[in-house]
Structure formats: structure tokens, C-alpha cells
Amino acid sequence: MPDAATAEELARLAAAGDRAALDRLLAGLRPEVVRRCGRFLPCREDAEEAAQDVLLQVARHIGGFEGRSRFSTWLYTVVANCCRQKYRELKRRAAEQPAPAEVPEAADPRTTSVIAGSRVDLLEALDRLEREHPHLVAPLVYRDLCQLEYAEAAERAGIPLGTLKSRLHEARRLVRPWLRAQ
């Protein structure tokens, strides 16, 4: 990934319509985006597909980057959303496939990634949290998954710092037993 200052400058130029800056930004971001997607999705192929989705979203929506927050904050939000969407897609595909009578000798990792893996357990917990307590998802994603500072996470979520901390505490309290139960 380009250093933070370079990425910020390239993002600013790309948001202003500079196509060459966008190309340089996307090329420089790809390895970091794949790595970050791999933190959400245990199967390498799924992480790479999600990374492609992230880069496509960045290219399509860079004009909406206003520079009010750091580019990395904006990018991590796109990463988290694309990975959660990829997980839902994989889960839906797995549910649509009939269950085999016996497990094949060489299981397809794209199918088993939906069934096994601690990172998938986290995505399942996030999915449940979103269904049951949607207001708690953003604080947990921004602070614990995107690893933003508290103030930046609060700003990104559009809530006061105290509210972010309270919601984050509640989200962690709810998610913890779900992860153990998986």
C-alpha cells in the first residue's frame, strides 16, 4: 500500500477526477485490501473476490470521498461492507446447494469456508448482531475490525464518543457468547 500521505494525496486527486491517480491508488492498494479481506474471509479465493469488489467500489465511488476523514477510514469501511456482502452471498449459495449424502474426498474450500473457520464465525455473529441490534454493528466493525481509534470510529459512525463506547461494550457483550457457541 502506498504510504498514508501518498494514499491520501492519490485519493484526493482521484476524487477530483484524475484517472492516472486512481490507477496508481488501486494498484498500490490491492495487496493491503487482499490482506484485510483475508481477515474476514478464511478462504483465499473468497478474500480475493471480495478484494476485487472493494477495488471496484473504490473506483466507482471515489468521487464521493470528500476528505473529511482519512482515506484509510473510508477504505476500511468499504472493505468491511464488501466482505460482509461476500459472506452473505457464500452463505446463500451454500443454503441453496443440496446437502451431499456423503462428504466428498476433496471438499471445495469455497463451500467449507461457509461452514468452518473462526473468521466465518465472526461474520455469522455480525450477521446476527445486525438482525437483532443493527445500531451496534458499526461501532464493533469500526473499532474492533477496522481498528480505528475511538474518536475516529465515533466520527465515522456519526455518534458521540460516549455513545460509541457504550454501544461497543454492549456489542462485545452480545457477540462474545455467540462466538463461543459456534
Side-chain angles (χ1 to χ4, degrees), residues 5-133:
T6 303
E8 292 293 328
E9 179 63 17
L10 289 173
R12 189 184 60 71
L13 291 170
D18 185 333
R19 182 69 188 172
L22 177 62
D23 290 343
R24 285 182 45 218
L25 179 66
L26 294 175
L29 289 177
R30 189 177 193 299
E32 176 69 11
V33 168
V34 170
R35 188 180 68 74
R36 289 202 174 269
C37 288
R39 291 174 67 186
F40 285 91
L41 300 163
C43 179
R44 174 101 178 139
E45 290 84 6
D46 295 338
E48 287 177 355
E49 281 185 31
Q52 284 299 105
D53 293 343
V54 168
L55 296 175
L56 182 60
Q57 291 300 317
V58 169
R60 284 185 178 161
H61 300 289
I62 192 70
F65 174 66
E66 299 171 349
R68 288 185 295 195
S69 63
R70 293 185 322 208
F71 175 71
S72 60
T73 302
W74 186 81
L75 176 65
Y76 298 154
T77 302
V78 176
V79 167
N81 289 337
C82 286
C83 287
R84 289 172 60 205
Q85 183 60 37
K86 174 55 77 177
Y87 170 72
R88 287 185 193 113
E89 177 187 316
L90 292 168
K91 188 175 166 185
R92 189 172 44 253
R93 266 195 264 154
E96 291 170 357
Q97 294 175 352
E102 58 186 68
V103 178
E105 287 182 33
D108 179 6
R110 296 173 64 83
T111 303
T112 57
S113 71
V114 174
I115 300 164
S118 62
R119 287 175 280 193
V120 171
D121 295 341
L122 175 61
L123 289 169
E124 184 64 37
L126 281 174
D127 197 41
R128 181 175 175 185
L129 186 65
E130 189 168 36
R131 284 191 313 270
E132 296 177 14
H133 307 280

